[in-house]
Amino acid sequence: MSRQPVNLAEKLSLFSEHWSPKVVGSFNGHDLMVVKVKGEFTWHSHPDTDDFFQVLSGRLTIRMRDGDVTLGPGEIYVVPKGVEHCPVAETETHVLLIEPSGTPNTGDPETAAQKTEI
């Protein structure tokens, strides 16, 4: 067990690709991940789990069929399970994600980004 804190800014400095979540820790069967996003992701849903977003820097709009939610630094939003959504960021935005380990980021294992630990 590591007794060192995880510095999210340091972890984010280790990669540059967008829409590729990096696992930085775990707890109770959940992955703690950081991701850099820019542009529009794909419309998707997660049938078995909610989707947690916390913006660390930048602005993230989560499009949903019944209305959008826009987050700034320090704000969180949880998309309920089964709700179709599409994250969008006009400029590079850094996000903390928390989800059950093994959850595909597109809702479909066939199209999901491969998660790596940093």
Side-chain angles (χ1 to χ4, degrees), residues 10-57:
E10 180 181 293
K11 295 293 188 182
L12 283 156
S13 74
L14 299 176
F15 65 97
S16 60
E17 62 269 19
H18 295 132
W19 304 110
S20 181
K22 307 297 183 198
V23 178
V24 298
S26 64
F27 78 101
N28 295 333
H30 286 69
D31 289 332
L32 301 172
M33 297 171 291
V34 291
V35 64
K36 293 180 178 180
V37 300
K38 185 176 180 185
E40 183 174 312
F41 197 57
T42 184
W43 280 93
H44 68 285
S45 64
H46 302 275
D48 300 319
T49 186
D50 299 332
D51 210 357
F52 172 97
F53 297 85
Q54 179 180 3
V55 171
L56 303 172
S57 67

Side-chain angles (χ1 to χ4, degrees), residues 37-101:
V37 300
K38 185 176 180 185
E40 183 174 312
F41 197 57
T42 184
W43 280 93
H44 68 285
S45 64
H46 302 275
D48 300 319
T49 186
D50 299 332
D51 210 357
F52 172 97
F53 297 85
Q54 179 180 3
V55 171
L56 303 172
S57 67
R59 294 191 72 70
L60 180 71
T61 297
I62 303 171
R63 293 182 181 154
M64 292 172 284
R65 299 298 184 189
D66 63 351
D68 299 347
V69 173
T70 299
L71 306 173
E75 295 183 317
I76 65 170
Y77 186 76
V78 177
V79 177
K81 70 179 174 182
V83 173
E84 193 175 22
H85 59 286
C86 177
V88 179
E90 291 185 19
T91 60
E92 184 173 275
T93 297
H94 299 170
V95 180
L96 174 69
L97 305 172
I98 302 173
E99 60 191 29
S101 298

